[in-house]
Amino acid sequence: MVITVENAIKDYGDSRILDIDNLTIKKGIYVILGSNGSGKSTLLSCISGLNSLTSGNILYNGNKLDSSIKNSITILLQKPYLFRKTSYENIISGLKYKKINNKEIENRLNKYIHYFNVEELLNKKSHWLSGGERAKVALLRTSVLETEVTMLDEPTAAMDIESSMKAEELIKNLSKDNRTVIVVTHDVYQAKRIADYVIFMDKGKILEMGDKDGVLGNPKNKLLKQILNI
Amino acid sequence: MFEFIKEFFIEYNDMFPVIMLSLKVSLTSTLIASILGMVSGVATALNEFKLKRTLMRVTNTLMSLPPVLIGLLVYMLLSRKGPLGSLGLLFSPTAMIISQSLLVFPIIFGLTVSNISESAKEIQLTCMSLGASKNDTLKAIISECRMQLLSIVTAGFGRAISEVGAVMMVGGNIKAKTRVMTTYIALETGKGNFNEAVFIGIVLLFISFFINTVLYRLQRRE
C-alpha cells in the first residue's frame, strides 16, 4: 500500500502539532525519529484514522480512508491498553474482532509466540503482568493481525535488551510479503538495525527523510547530527 | 429479642408485600435508569461536543435534586388535570417507578461519565486499532468497566430504595397497593409504632448489606 500525506496540518487549540507538506510511504520498514512532542505519535494516529487532520489529506493507494483500508491498517499505541483478560485472550482479541477462524488463530499464535517465549504467561491475567510482559503481549496482539500496514509506537520502550532484540526480529518479519511497518522510536541504534527508511521529525515537521544510510550515515540536519554525535 | 422476631413473623403477611413492592419498584427503576444512563453515559464519555460541560453541570445539579421535587413533577404530570392524567397512573407502582427512575437516572449517567471517561477512551482507541466494530467496542467498554459500573448501579439502587419523598407523593402510601418500606417506616413512626418501623429499618439495612457483600465479593474475584 502506498500512503501519501499531503499538506497535513494538525492543531490542538493554538498549538500546531503536525505540519507536513508531503510524505510518501511505500513497502518496507520506516523508522520515525524525533524528540518528545515532535509529532511522531500524532502522525501515526492520523495515518491510522484514530485521529483526524485539521486540514490536508492522507491517501491510501490514492483513496481516502474507508472501512476496507481500515482493516488493512493496525497500530500499536504508545500506552497500549490490555483488556482485563488473560494474555492469550488479549493476543487473539484483534483476530476475534476480525472474525478469523480458530484454526487460523492458532496458526498465527504459533507463528509469533516463539519470539518472546511467553507460553507461561498465556493464562495469566493482564493486570498481573509486568511492564515488559505487557509490552510483549501488546506487540504480539498487533503482530498476529498481519495487516498490510503495521504501525508501532515505541514498541520496545518497556522491554529489556534481549526482548528488544527479539522484538526487532519480529518487526523485520512483519515487513515481509511487501508489507509496510512504521516504527516510532527514540533509539537511534534500533533505527540503524531495523530501518529501511528513516524519517526525522521536529516540532511537527519532517526535517529529514530517506533511506537509512543516507539519513543516519550522512545527516544534513544540525539536531540530527547532534543526536548521532556526528 | 427472640420473642420480638417471633411476633413479627406472625405479622409476616403484612410485611412481606411491603418488602416485595419496595424491591420491585426500586429494582425496576434502577434497571431502567441503568440501561438508559449507562448507554447515554458511555456515549457522552466517548464524544466531545459543545454543550458537554453545561450538560455535566446540569447533571450534577440533578444528582442532588430533592426527591420531593421529582415527586411534585411526576405528580403534576400524572394528576387528573396533568398532561398524562388520562393514563390513570397516579397512586400506582408505575408512578413510583417513573419517579424513582427519574431520580436515579442522573446519578447513573453522571457517575458513568465521570468514572469511565478516561478508561473508555483508552479502550475505544485500542478496539479501533484492532479493527473492532462499534458494537464490539461498546461491549468491550462495558465489560472492562464492569466493576465501576456495578458500583454505580449499587449507588443508584441505594438512592432508589432509601427514597421516601417522591414515592410518598406519587404512590400515596396506600396499604397493600403502593406502600413500600420507607413510607411504611414514616407512617409507623408517626403512629408511634416504633417496633414495626425499626424492624423494616433492619430489613432495609440487611438488603443494603447483602448488595454490598455481593459487590465486594465480585471485586475480590476480579
Side-chain angles (χ1 to χ4, degrees):
Chain A
M1 187 186 289
V2 179
I3 300 168
T4 318
V5 181
E6 298 170 337
N7 306 317
I9 303 266
K10 177 71 186 173
D11 293 334
Y12 285 121
D14 294 334
S15 314
R16 181 141 295 178
I17 307 296
L18 208 60
D19 185 357
I20 296 175
D21 293 335
N22 202 292
L23 168 67
T24 305
I25 294 171
K26 295 176 184 170
K27 65 179 180 180
I29 301 178
Y30 287 75
V31 171
I32 307 178
L33 290 169
S35 44
N36 293 331
S38 58
K40 309 182 295 292
S41 300
T42 308
L43 175 61
L44 284 200
S45 65
C46 287
I47 292 175
S48 68
L50 294 183
N51 210 336
S52 56
L53 292 172
T54 306
S55 66
N57 285 314
I58 299 178
L59 302 172
Y60 309 80
N61 287 337
N63 302 308
K64 291 212 167 182
L65 189 70
D66 59 26
S67 58
S68 76
I69 295 168
K70 267 188 186 170
N71 256 331
S72 316
I73 298 176
T74 189
I75 180 170
L76 169 64
L77 300 165
Q78 196 174 11
K79 286 182 191 165
Y81 178 88
L82 291 187
F83 300 116
R84 294 176 67 84
K85 294 175 178 175
T86 62
S87 302
Y88 173 78
E89 289 169 309
N90 265 289
I91 294 169
I92 67 163
S93 55
L95 296 170
K96 286 277 181 192
Y97 289 141
K98 288 177 186 277
K99 300 192 171 24
I100 307 286
N101 64 57
N102 288 343
K103 199 182 167 195
E104 182 58 21
I105 287 176
E106 287 310 310
N107 285 343
R108 300 260 185 107
L109 199 65
N110 292 332
K111 189 173 169 185
Y112 290 98
I113 205 160
H114 69 88
Y115 280 102
F116 295 121
N117 297 320
V118 289
E119 285 85 349
E120 72 277 12
L121 299 180
L122 287 181
N123 292 318
K124 216 172 168 182
K125 290 250 182 171
S126 66
H127 47 276
W128 298 114
L129 300 176
S130 70
E133 288 170 342
R134 293 173 71 85
K136 289 176 198 173
V137 169
L139 179 56
L140 284 170
R141 181 172 69 179
T142 306
S143 305
V144 295
L145 294 173
E146 292 189 339
T147 44
E148 216 178 321
V149 180
T150 304
M151 288 177 278
L152 308 168
D153 197 349
E154 300 188 33
T156 60
M159 290 185 198
D160 56 46
I161 296 169
E162 195 192 342
S163 303
S164 288
M165 301 302 246
K166 291 280 183 190
E168 287 171 16
E169 269 180 52
L170 191 158
I171 291 167
K172 283 180 187 168
N173 190 53
L174 282 178
S175 73
K176 285 179 183 168
D177 303 326
N178 287 335
R179 291 203 287 258
T180 306
V181 181
I182 311 171
V183 183
V184 164
T185 181
H186 289 285
D187 186 345
V188 178
Y189 299 103
Q190 186 173 67
K192 282 182 179 171
R193 288 192 295 269
I194 63 171
D196 294 318
Y197 306 96
V198 174
I199 298 165
F200 179 66
M201 291 181 71
D202 191 43
K203 292 173 186 162
K205 290 177 182 287
I206 293 178
L207 301 184
E208 217 157 316
M209 180 174 66
D211 62 73
K212 172 177 68 179
D213 297 330
V215 176
L216 298 180
N218 186 23
K220 293 170 188 72
N221 182 269
K222 231 182 193 178
L223 185 62
L224 186 56
K225 276 183 182 174
Q226 260 179 1
I227 293 167
L228 293 167
N229 276 331
I230 294 175
Chain B
M1 183 68 184
F2 181 73
E3 280 301 309
F4 174 74
I5 295 169
K6 204 176 154 188
E7 272 177 34
F8 272 105
F9 272 101
I10 294 166
E11 303 245 340
Y12 182 77
N13 284 341
D14 273 359
M15 300 285 185
F16 193 69
V18 173
I19 296 167
M20 290 314 289
L21 184 66
S22 267
L23 288 173
K24 184 186 153 189
V25 168
S26 299
L27 285 171
T28 311
S29 54
T30 307
L31 182 74
I32 294 167
S34 297
I35 292 169
L36 297 175
M38 279 180 193
V39 172
S40 54
V42 170
T44 307
L46 291 177
N47 293 297
E48 293 304 323
F49 50 92
K50 219 176 175 182
L51 292 173
K52 189 170 177 177
R53 284 185 184 182
T54 313
L55 176 68
M56 292 320 296
R57 233 174 292 155
V58 171
T59 303
N60 288 339
T61 309
L62 293 176
M63 278 166 82
S64 53
L65 200 68
V68 283
L69 264 184
I70 294 280
L72 178 66
L73 176 77
V74 177
Y75 190 97
M76 289 194 302
L77 280 173
L78 300 180
S79 64
R80 199 173 288 176
K81 287 179 183 170
L84 301 175
S86 59
L87 298 173
L89 291 175
L90 196 63
F91 304 130
S92 72
T94 309
M96 295 156 79
I97 290 170
I98 292 169
S99 63
Q100 285 202 347
S101 299
L102 288 172
L103 201 65
V104 176
F105 174 79
I107 294 172
I108 305 274
F109 174 77
L111 291 178
T112 300
V113 177
S114 60
N115 281 15
I116 71 155
S117 271
E118 212 171 298
S119 43
K121 277 179 189 160
E122 235 181 307
I123 298 162
Q124 184 193 31
L125 281 179
T126 300
C127 287
M128 283 167 73
S129 74
L130 294 170
S133 65
K134 278 187 179 172
N135 239 351
D136 287 332
T137 305
L138 185 66
K139 273 187 213 167
I141 291 169
I142 289 173
S143 162
E144 290 296 302
C145 301
R146 58 189 177 274
M147 290 322 298
Q148 289 111 298
L149 293 175
L150 207 55
S151 298
I152 292 167
V153 172
T154 309
F157 179 72
R159 169 81 154 165
I161 199 152
S162 62
E163 188 277 318
V164 56
V167 284
M168 181 83 90
M169 287 172 81
V170 301
N173 198 17
I174 303 164
K175 192 178 179 184
K177 197 184 170 207
T178 59
R179 186 162 297 166
V180 287
M181 286 192 278
T182 49
T183 55
Y184 183 92
I185 291 172
L187 179 75
E188 294 304 323
T189 305
K191 282 158 59 180
N193 296 332
F194 295 113
N195 283 353
E196 283 88 341
V198 167
F199 178 77
I200 288 290
I202 290 169
V203 173
L204 256 176
L205 271 177
F206 178 77
I207 289 167
S208 171
F209 179 75
F210 174 74
I211 286 166
N212 279 295
T213 305
V214 171
L215 186 70
Y216 177 75
R217 294 221 165 179
L218 282 171
Q219 276 169 335
R220 283 284 299 264
R221 215 171 59 179
E222 284 286 307

